[in-house]
Amino acid sequence: MIGVCALLLCAVSLSPAAASEQAQAKAPISSTIAMIGAGNMGQALGNLWAAAGYHVIFATRNPGELDDVVATAGHGAEAATVAKAIEQAGIITLAVPYGAEPAIAKAHGAAMKGKVLVNVDNAFEHRDGEVATKAEAVGEAVYSAQLFEGTRFIRAFNLKGAGSFPSPEGVESADFEVPYTVNDESARHIAEALIHDAGGTPVYEGGLENAREY
């Protein structure tokens, strides 16, 4: 497991190739994660990352209703409004119905610029309507990255159901692959740290245009 050390660009346990990539990366980012959405997927990933040492802030329109979510995550996890969580975080994870993305981008896109944005959402026409139709025409990863212009965008985790992630205690023995794509090579080591800390093995598939069905 790479852990927060890798997230902060510590190269001690990295291969020479990975260390070289990190040397070319942008400045270190905060290890605080704003988890926008506290449903099954948000909780599954948030709990794992909190246990791995990240500062996780669960963010919804009603953060006062998240006491049980925060208590289950433990490890210093918090709840906050979306705006406050984004302000504090270096990494933002979207775990919401895909159709909510345009409104989130309109309200908070400017505050997200320059930050790492992990997108795990999937578009479904029966639920997300016209937004899903537009996204599927160009690719969901590409469409979302256009909505959140200026972010260091990572597309990952959306091929895995929330219930299939390991518990924090089972991370070390977990065995599953997580394909991911990015719009910025400097985000690769961050994506791989997050995947490892959720128990997965990262599989890099290039730029967002290669995301195919995801």
Side-chain angles (χ1 to χ4, degrees):
M1 183 170 64
I2 290 180
V4 176
C5 181
L7 185 63
L8 297 179
L9 307 189
C10 173
V12 174
S13 63
L14 299 180
S15 67
S20 175
E21 289 178 4
Q22 288 194 355
Q24 301 173 19
K26 297 180 181 179
I29 63 169
S30 163
S31 60
T32 297
I33 299 175
M35 178 62 69
I36 301 178
N40 292 339
M41 193 66 167
Q43 291 184 55
L45 288 171
N47 293 351
L48 288 168
W49 289 334
Y54 301 89
H55 176 208
V56 175
I57 305 175
F58 292 97
T60 67
R61 289 175 292 183
N62 301 295
E65 299 176 358
L66 300 180
D67 289 352
D68 289 345
V69 172
V70 169
T72 298
H75 302 282
E78 298 182 68
T81 63
V82 174
K84 184 176 180 181
I86 291 171
E87 179 183 0
Q88 295 184 45
I91 302 168
I92 301 152
T93 300
L94 281 176
V96 298
Y98 195 96
E101 289 191 12
I104 293 172
K106 182 177 180 179
H108 305 287
M112 294 184 185
K113 288 187 176 181
K115 300 192 177 191
V116 172
L117 179 60
V118 183
N119 185 288
V120 309
D121 302 337
N122 290 311
F124 299 101
E125 289 190 10
H126 70 272
R127 181 192 65 191
D128 304 307
E130 185 180 0
V131 174
T133 303
K134 290 180 178 179
E136 290 173 1
V138 297
E140 294 173 23
V142 172
Y143 185 83
S144 292
Q146 291 172 347
L147 288 176
F148 297 95
E149 184 179 3
T151 61
R152 297 162 67 185
F153 193 95
I154 298 168
R155 179 67 161 166
F157 296 109
N158 60 298
L159 296 181
K160 191 168 177 63
S164 65
F165 284 96
S167 67
E169 296 75 22
V171 165
E172 293 293 343
S173 60
D175 182 19
F176 59 90
E177 293 185 343
V178 178
Y180 76 95
T181 57
V182 298
N183 70 345
D184 185 329
E185 285 285 312
S186 73
R188 282 188 59 187
H189 68 285
I190 299 166
E192 298 202 353
L194 292 170
I195 291 168
H196 276 294
D197 289 341
T201 298
V203 179
Y204 177 55
E205 297 201 344
L208 300 180
E209 69 279 4
N210 296 325
R212 299 168 311 185
E213 297 300 323
Y214 63 92

